[in-house]
Amino acid sequence: MSVKTLNNYINGTLCEPASKQYLNNIEPATGQVYSRLANSDAKDIDHAVDAAETAFPAWSTLPAEQRSRWLQRLADAIADNHESLAQAESKDTGKPIQLARNVDIQRAVDNLRFFAHAATQFSSESHATDSRTINYTLRQALGPVACISPWNLPLYLLTWKIAPALAAGNTVVAKPSEITPYTAYLLAQLCVDIDFPPGVLNIVHGTGKQAGAALTSHPKIKAISFTGGTQTGTAIQQAVLGQHKKISLELGGKNPFIVFAACDFEQAVTTACRSAFSNQGQICLCGSRIYVEHKIYEEFVAAMLAKMAQLKIGDPQDPTVDFGALVSAQHLAKVQSYLELAKSEGGTLLTSHKTLNLSDRCQHGYYLKPTLITGLDSRCRSNQEEIFGPVATVQSFSSQSEVLKLANDSPYGLAASIWTQNINQAHQLATDIEAGIVWVNCWLTRDLRTPFGGMKASGMGREGGFEAMRFFTEMKNVCIQYK
Ligand code: NDP
């Protein structure tokens, strides 16, 4: 099998890294190297930032309608290559092909189309102070900005950042995760195919420590939009302290999924299973702490195990598979270490799959059965730390005030899902819960106009809709007095 080479995309051209060094890229389903990516360093970042800086004046002054058309063209190119991109995403991440088709690639198209529209709808305020004084707010593009994205939803989250950045008139240097660079590379190829204006979008591959750190601390980078782990987000914040850059951080989560006895039981169980194990539990919004009212606790755990038993685990390329491989050997080892930790903390591990029954192709892949853990208290490390794998804990509660306390007893504050037929209870909890996103009787229902992000250790700032457009612009108040 030939090994593909994934080069950088700088100034409209696919190019080798300055060092000519490459890193291996592994297919998680098989454990085999199938491509190699540019191992970029500060020289490549300088090259990309220079290209972005040169492209900025023309791009930022292009009428919004024309920027919008470029984003639509990019969206069309992704839509036209939907299947090959879905295959690539599935291969690179280990996620089931159906998920890559229906969620990842579809959402990448939607992100670009949404912000193509936002470019033409974005407006700013004016304030009439008195009959002879008016203030208006100018919102101007910043310049070259950095977009850094993680491995769990590679093209989906990359486009979620670059689309508003470009729509608002900035030029971009993006660094995708070194673990899942494939669809970002294919996006670069599409940019070449459609003659996307050179330097407006640049994609540099490589490690976070080398390429990522050089990018975020680059003096010409005006803003950093980062999605990834809380530790990395903190490290970036510290590294650029004093540089006065705008920073948006979308970080980890340990999200409560709260089920009251008065709920649509079947729907709650089905969604709890989806919420805990979609993408092998590798979504920042996964409900990994499940709280169930004691009256239905036993019944709920049994029903959830029955649902888990229906998940077909296997080769991500198989369109009937629901549950694929974890992203890397290192990540698999990390998640497994949490299973050991949970046992040592007194937890009971419940799984519905005795064996994995994998095909030959997948025998060296990074698979792990979905697991529920019972018997842990809320203060233990298994309940406090983000595991980011197919592992959820279940605890029972007896009152609304108790479950609120449990839910908020976490360093994280990204999302929560509440299941109840009691409308007062829903509103009360939605108000009191410490999370940036609250779903009631649903999970992962998204409207791209709404603010997206977390509080506490889950991040700083919000993405989505005009919040993202505002982040990627500098505000200037102009006060005019006339006679
Ligand atoms: P990481 O924090 O390890 O990496 C995220 C990105 O940052 C990668 O591109 C990485 O490159 C890069 N990076 C690493 N170190 C640095 C550095 N010092 N300077 C600049 N860039 C750096 O996260 P993961 O990729 O492991 O993603 C999983 C995490 O992302 C989980 O915690 C999850 O909760 C969170 N996440 C949050 C979301 C949200 O919206 N709140 C959504 C999705 C995920 P490299 O890969 O080469 O290390």
Side-chain angles (χ1 to χ4, degrees):
M1 190 185 63
S2 70
V3 170
K4 290 183 207 322
T5 298
L6 314 182
N7 274 317
N8 293 332
Y9 170 64
I10 300 177
N11 206 19
T13 319
L14 292 166
C15 50
E16 292 181 329
S19 67
K20 309 230 183 311
Q21 303 285 312
Y22 288 84
L23 300 161
N24 284 337
N25 185 30
I26 294 172
E27 178 180 7
T30 62
Q32 304 300 313
V33 174
Y34 80 100
S35 65
R36 50 183 209 141
L37 66 141
N39 185 7
S40 309
D41 58 25
K43 280 197 193 127
D44 304 291
I45 294 294
D46 282 345
H47 182 191
V49 175
D50 285 349
E53 190 187 33
T54 306
F56 178 70
W59 180 254
S60 58
T61 52
L62 206 61
E65 205 271 332
Q66 286 184 38
R67 284 202 300 273
S68 172
R69 254 191 270 154
W70 274 115
L71 294 184
Q72 288 286 14
R73 250 174 254 173
L74 202 49
D76 291 343
I78 296 175
D80 291 346
N81 292 276
H82 189 285
E83 182 55 24
S84 56
L85 285 162
Q87 295 285 351
E89 202 68 293
S90 170
K91 191 179 180 82
D92 212 22
T93 58
K95 71 177 65 198
I97 181 67
Q98 286 299 8
L99 191 68
R101 279 184 188 134
N102 301 333
V103 177
D104 292 76
I105 307 306
Q106 188 50 50
R107 180 57 193 277
V109 174
D110 294 346
N111 286 340
L112 284 157
R113 295 215 195 286
F114 177 86
F115 283 106
H117 292 302
T120 61
Q121 303 300 312
F122 191 42
S123 60
S124 62
E125 307 79 24
S126 85
H127 303 90
T129 308
D130 55 44
S131 60
R132 287 286 180 268
T133 314
I134 187 157
N135 289 271
Y136 64 88
T137 311
L138 270 181
R139 288 187 191 273
Q140 295 168 304
L142 302 165
V145 299
C147 295
I148 301 188
S149 46
W151 48 257
N152 62 332
L153 301 159
L155 193 63
Y156 171 144
L157 288 175
L158 178 70
T159 50
W160 183 232
K161 294 185 177 302
I162 65 171
L166 297 174
N170 304 279
T171 50
V172 170
V173 180
K175 202 219 64 82
S177 170
E178 89 190 63
I179 303 168
T180 56
Y182 194 14
T183 49
Y185 168 75
L186 296 176
L187 179 73
Q189 279 190 328
L190 294 177
C191 288
V192 173
D193 291 349
I194 65 168
D195 290 325
F196 202 73
V200 168
L201 171 64
N202 305 274
I203 301 175
V204 182
H205 295 284
T207 66
K209 288 208 160 57
Q210 190 166 278
L215 174 59
T216 51
S217 57
H218 197 291
K220 289 180 183 165
I221 287 292
K222 304 289 184 211
I224 301 165
S225 173
F226 171 82
T227 299
T230 298
Q231 253 187 325
T232 316
T234 309
I236 290 175
Q237 233 178 342
Q238 284 166 351
V240 302
L241 207 68
Q243 288 193 350
H244 313 298
K245 292 176 176 172
K246 289 186 98 171
I247 307 187
S248 158
L249 300 174
E250 298 297 337
L251 309 176
K254 185 81 178 177
N255 309 302
F257 191 101
I258 301 170
V259 186
F260 286 91
C263 71
D264 179 335
F265 185 84
E266 182 53 33
Q267 194 64 31
V269 171
T270 303
T271 313
C273 192
R274 194 165 66 85
S275 163
F277 303 122
S278 288
N279 203 33
Q280 297 76 249
Q282 303 167 128
I283 302 180
C284 54
L285 304 163
C286 277
S288 51
R289 291 183 290 144
I290 304 173
Y291 298 104
V292 184
E293 193 168 354
H294 74 98
K295 287 182 250 180
I296 59 164
Y297 176 81
E298 300 293 340
E299 192 191 347
F300 190 92
V301 172
M304 202 153 160
L305 284 171
K307 275 275 174 251
M308 285 161 63
Q310 291 168 15
L311 290 174
K312 183 170 173 190
I313 306 175
D315 189 338
Q317 287 183 352
D318 176 345
T320 64
V321 155
D322 309 295
F323 189 99
L326 270 67
V327 78
S328 67
Q330 197 188 12
H331 190 58
L332 173 65
K334 178 194 146 185
V335 178
Q336 282 171 325
S337 77
Y338 272 100
L339 296 180
E340 291 308 311
L341 175 72
K343 277 194 258 175
S344 73
E345 291 179 324
T348 304
L349 274 48
L350 307 172
T351 176
S352 51
H353 293 73
K354 285 205 172 61
T355 54
L356 285 172
N357 288 329
L358 299 170
S359 65
D360 283 354
R361 193 183 96 85
C362 296
Q363 58 183 302
H364 300 298
Y366 312 133
Y367 295 88
L368 186 69
K369 293 182 265 189
T371 303
L372 273 189
I373 308 175
T374 57
L376 291 175
D377 74 64
S378 73
R379 295 299 311 155
C380 70
R381 280 183 56 204
S382 307
N383 266 325
Q384 290 288 315
E385 296 175 15
E386 184 186 41
I387 300 174
F388 213 56
V391 180
T393 64
V394 199
Q395 297 167 75
S396 75
F397 67 89
S398 338
S399 67
Q400 184 177 321
S401 58
E402 183 194 1
V403 78
L404 176 66
K405 215 167 140 207
L406 290 169
N408 285 344
D409 184 14
S410 167
Y412 294 101
L414 185 54
S417 179
I418 302 164
W419 291 76
T420 177
Q421 303 282 0
N422 179 335
I423 192 162
N424 293 326
Q425 191 165 54
H427 281 297
Q428 286 160 8
L429 276 176
T431 305
D432 294 340
I433 215 150
E434 293 165 356
I437 302 154
V438 179
W439 282 292
V440 177
N441 297 326
C442 58
W443 175 76
L444 208 62
T445 305
R446 291 282 291 121
D447 178 327
L448 303 191
R449 293 169 301 177
T450 60
F452 178 88
M455 50 176 78
K456 300 180 3 187
S458 291
M460 212 174 71
R462 295 293 183 270
E463 297 186 314
F466 290 140
E467 288 299 324
M469 299 291 283
R470 287 186 197 108
F471 171 74
F472 283 115
T473 48
E474 187 71 80
M475 262 186 292
K476 184 189 288 173
N477 187 67
V478 181
C479 177
I480 300 184
Q481 220 159 44
Y482 52 99
K483 295 206 185 309

